[in-house]
């Protein structure tokens, strides 16, 4: 469901009857037309984007004295694909906000023998981070070692690009399964066996210098080790309901816009309807008129859509509302916080995961300590109204909400005088002198 919502209108249409049911006795052709004209309001994907971007509105920072220089040199290209540490962690946060769980795998390219630091640097052999998304994770085993839950096996799907040996101009995307155990790894690919049956077969295997699985899970709404729920799951369900209700609204509008011509006792002669034609009948109670929709269902549908949109905004805003306490008393005391909002807790968990990943990177290169990073989380709102206003402002800056809608929503929340109107406010904004050094948004022009 979440993958379809993130895919937008085209993905929702491809899902067909899974999220837009065909009603009993509905004509198949009519349903196909209804599906082909349905459009998705991307409330879920935009909320995920806005909320996950909030912690990264400021750069990720670190203590240069505590993070080893060799690890700091990795930050501009942390995944060896040109992604810096800030952008990599922002991508992890967005995945967690959407799907509830993600993982950072710290890997190191295979090496032959004991190479010097200079030789490894010359060859570009160093640890790197890889994002393992929720939809790639397949299976894991773990056991408690020294009081800590530790991976003993991890299995996930990955895609690799290889050039076709028979055609140098073709690059194939190959899906394979990677299996990790402490000190060893294996990959499996689907191949046709001697019985002409497609099966998963061992493709490559090898050993690692670290006798552990260097994978760090990141949670959205943690329920246990490698168990989590999407923080915005309820918003996803409401977005589906909005998709269905909006389709119904489009259908009733189509019906209402096409009046039906009703005639009674007009005889058997052909009837021509037009501005230059007249229709007469010898019958006393003959009648000819257009039957039109009363519009009551249209208004009810419009009200339902507005209510759903309000509820969706509220659910997104709730993650910014500060709530008393944390998961444990020790955490509250350690952080010296009176309370945190749900998004701050997620960012805290992401920070811990990033620090553990840095420690794994340090172990790969035989450093004692990987140091720590800091992700901005000095945000949160005291009330739901304040949180929803903040979320609306962020959506406006991201061009996900018009300035007029922002003005109306702020007014509806009692944050703007009810006597003001948008047209007059636009005139006032246009007359304002620009402030020195002011950052321009869609509100200031």
């Amino acid at each position: 469901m979440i993958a379809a919502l993130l895919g937008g209108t085209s993905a929702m249409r491809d899902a067909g009857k899974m999220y837009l049911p065909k009603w009993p006795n509905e004509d198949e052709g009519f349903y196909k037309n209804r599906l082909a004209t349905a459009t998705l309001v991307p409330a879920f994907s935009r909320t995920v984007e806005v909320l996950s971007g909030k912690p990264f509105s400021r750069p990720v920072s670190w203590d240069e004295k505590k993070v080893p220089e060799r690890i700091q040199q990795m930050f501009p290209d942390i995944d060896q694909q040109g992604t810096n540490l800030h952008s990599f962690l922002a991508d992890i946060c967005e995945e967690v906000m959407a799907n509830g769980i993600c993982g950072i795998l710290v890997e190191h390219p295979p090496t032959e023998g004991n190479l010097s630091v200079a030789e490894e640097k010359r060859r570009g052999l160093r640890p790197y981070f890889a994002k393992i998304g929720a939809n790639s994770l397949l299976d894991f085993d773990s056991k408690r070692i020294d009081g800590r839950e530790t991976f003993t096996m991890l299995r996930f799907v990955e895609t690799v690009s290889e050039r076709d040996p028979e055609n140098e101009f073709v690059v194939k995307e190959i899906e394979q399964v990677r299996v990790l155990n402490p000190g060893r790894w294996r990959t499996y690919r689907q191949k046709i066996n001697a019985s002409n049956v497609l099966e998963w077969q061992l493709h490559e295997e090898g050993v690692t210098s670290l006798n552990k699985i260097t994978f760090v899970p990141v949670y959205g709404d943690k329920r246990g080790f490698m168990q989590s729920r999407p923080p915005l799951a309820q918003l996803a369900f409401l977005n589906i309901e909005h998709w269905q209700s909006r389709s119904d609204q489009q259908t009733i509008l189509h019906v209402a816009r096409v009046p039906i011509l009703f005639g009674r006792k007009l005889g058997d002669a052909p009837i021509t309807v037009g501005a230059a034609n007249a229709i007469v009948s010898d019958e006393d109670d003959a009648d000819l008129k257009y039957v039109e929709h009363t519009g009551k269902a249209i208004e009810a549908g419009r009200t339902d859509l507005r209510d759903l949109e309000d509820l969706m905004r509220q659910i997104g805003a709730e993650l910014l509302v500060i709530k008393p306490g944390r998961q444990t008393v020790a955490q509250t005391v350690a952080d010296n916080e009176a309370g945190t909002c749900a998004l701050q807790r997620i960012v805290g968990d992401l920070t811990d995961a990033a620090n553990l990943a840095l420690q794994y990177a340090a172990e790969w290169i035989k450093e004692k300590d990987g140091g720590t990073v800091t992700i901005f989380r000095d945000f949160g709102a005291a009330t739901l109204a304040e949180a929803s206003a903040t979320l609306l402002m962020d959506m406006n800056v991201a061009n996900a909400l018009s300035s007029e809608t922002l003005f109306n929503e702020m007014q509806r929340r009692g944050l703007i005088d009810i006597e003001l109107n948008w047209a007059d406010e636009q005139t006032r904004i246009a007359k304002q002198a620009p402030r020195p050094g002011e950052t321009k948004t869609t509100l200031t022009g």
Side-chain angles (χ1 to χ4, degrees):
M1 177 179 66
I2 288 175
L5 288 172
L6 294 176
T9 296
S10 58
M12 291 294 290
R13 289 177 180 175
D14 289 342
K17 296 173 185 176
M18 184 177 296
Y19 303 121
L20 189 64
K22 178 183 174 184
W23 302 119
N25 301 321
E26 183 177 13
D27 179 74
E28 182 65 28
F30 186 87
Y31 172 78
K32 287 182 178 180
N33 289 333
R34 184 160 68 91
L35 179 63
T37 56
T39 53
L40 176 71
V41 173
F44 180 81
S45 60
R46 284 180 177 175
T47 303
V48 166
E49 181 181 353
V50 169
L51 288 178
S52 59
K54 207 166 189 64
F56 297 93
S57 59
R58 298 184 185 179
V60 173
S61 60
W62 57 88
D63 188 337
E64 295 184 357
K65 295 180 180 180
K66 294 183 179 180
V67 179
E69 184 179 352
R70 292 176 64 190
I71 291 183
Q72 291 185 51
Q73 292 172 353
M74 304 174 192
F75 288 173
D77 183 12
I78 195 66
D79 62 354
Q80 290 197 333
Q81 295 182 8
T83 309
N84 61 46
L85 179 65
H86 177 95
S87 298
F88 181 86
L89 293 178
D91 193 24
I92 294 288
C93 185
E94 188 167 340
E95 174 78 17
V96 167
M97 291 296 298
N99 291 298
I101 194 169
C102 186
I104 303 173
L105 179 66
V106 186
E107 291 203 291
H108 195 293
T111 59
E112 310 90 20
N114 294 320
L115 301 178
S116 66
V117 173
E119 181 63 18
E120 286 188 352
K121 187 174 182 179
R122 188 186 69 81
R123 295 189 185 185
L125 300 175
R126 52 98 167 167
Y128 62 92
F129 291 2
K131 184 187 84 169
I132 309 299
N135 294 326
S136 297
L137 293 167
L138 295 177
D139 193 16
F140 75 95
D141 286 330
S142 68
K143 65 179 180 179
R144 206 156 188 82
I145 301 176
D146 297 330
R148 181 177 179 179
E149 199 69 25
T150 304
F151 287 103
T152 57
M153 186 275 290
L154 181 70
R155 188 164 65 237
F156 58 88
V157 177
E158 61 183 6
T159 302
V160 296
S161 299
E162 291 185 359
R163 193 164 294 280
D164 190 341
E166 298 179 359
N167 188 340
E168 62 176 315
F169 301 106
V170 175
V171 176
K172 292 183 176 180
E173 298 291 323
I174 301 174
E175 187 177 81
Q176 64 183 24
V177 172
R178 182 174 293 270
V179 182
L180 303 179
N181 293 102
R184 62 189 292 250
W185 60 270
R186 302 176 304 286
T187 58
Y188 292 83
R189 293 185 181 180
Q190 285 188 308
K191 299 178 182 178
I192 297 177
N193 61 19
S195 303
N196 204 31
V197 176
L198 194 65
E199 67 176 7
W200 290 97
Q201 297 180 5
L202 180 65
H203 175 67
E204 287 182 325
E205 61 180 332
V207 297
T208 61
S209 57
L210 288 184
N211 192 35
K212 62 176 65 176
I213 298 174
T214 52
F215 175 81
V216 186
V218 187
Y219 303 97
D221 184 7
K222 186 176 181 180
R223 295 292 155 175
F225 184 72
M226 288 293 285
Q227 297 178 17
S228 184
R229 296 188 304 192
L232 296 169
Q234 190 58 38
L235 174 58
F237 284 110
L238 287 174
N239 207 169
I240 293 292
E241 184 179 349
H242 189 276
W243 159 260
Q244 296 167 348
S245 182
R246 197 162 189 265
S247 174
D248 291 342
Q249 186 72 354
Q250 287 176 310
T251 301
I252 198 67
L253 283 173
H254 173 72
V255 172
R257 288 170 178 171
V258 183
I260 301 171
L261 185 62
F262 169 78
R264 180 177 61 187
K265 294 187 178 182
L266 300 176
D268 297 329
I271 297 175
T272 302
V273 179
N277 296 288
I279 299 173
V280 296
S281 175
D282 296 331
E283 298 289 337
D284 293 337
D285 55 349
D287 191 14
L288 182 65
K289 60 185 177 182
Y290 279 103
V291 179
E292 296 188 69
H293 201 283
T294 63
K296 291 183 179 179
I298 297 175
E299 184 57 35
R302 185 184 296 114
T303 301
D304 179 62
L305 288 174
R306 286 178 177 173
D307 290 345
L308 281 172
E309 288 162 6
D310 283 344
L311 193 52
M312 287 191 291
R313 291 192 191 101
Q314 176 180 325
I315 289 175
E318 282 176 352
L319 268 71
L320 294 173
V321 178
I322 295 174
K323 298 177 182 178
R326 287 180 61 84
Q327 294 176 356
T328 66
V329 175
Q331 286 175 310
T332 305
V333 174
D335 291 341
N336 193 27
E337 292 180 348
T340 57
C341 67
L343 183 57
Q344 286 173 321
R345 289 197 293 272
I346 293 171
V347 175
D349 291 340
L350 174 58
T351 303
D352 292 341
N355 292 335
L356 180 54
L358 289 182
Q359 181 58 36
Y360 284 153
E363 293 177 19
W364 276 115
I365 58 176
K366 297 180 174 57
E367 291 276 359
K368 291 183 179 180
D369 188 3
T372 59
V373 298
T374 301
I375 302 174
F376 172 68
R377 56 173 181 156
D378 187 16
F379 50 79
T383 65
L384 187 57
E386 181 185 339
S388 62
T390 302
L391 182 60
L392 290 169
M393 283 289 293
D394 289 341
M395 292 178 70
N396 175 259
V397 172
N399 277 329
L401 188 74
S402 71
S403 296
E404 184 176 0
T405 300
L406 174 63
F407 179 89
N408 293 335
E409 289 296 327
M410 293 292 193
Q411 196 172 54
R412 195 163 63 84
R413 284 164 172 75
L415 302 175
I416 295 177
D417 192 335
I418 194 66
E419 299 298 327
L420 298 177
N421 66 74
W422 174 241
D424 292 342
E425 202 61 28
Q426 278 185 303
T427 303
R428 296 187 187 99
I429 293 173
K431 291 180 179 178
Q432 285 182 167
R435 298 177 182 176
E438 182 180 18
T439 301
K440 292 186 176 182
T441 70
T442 52
L443 283 178
T444 58

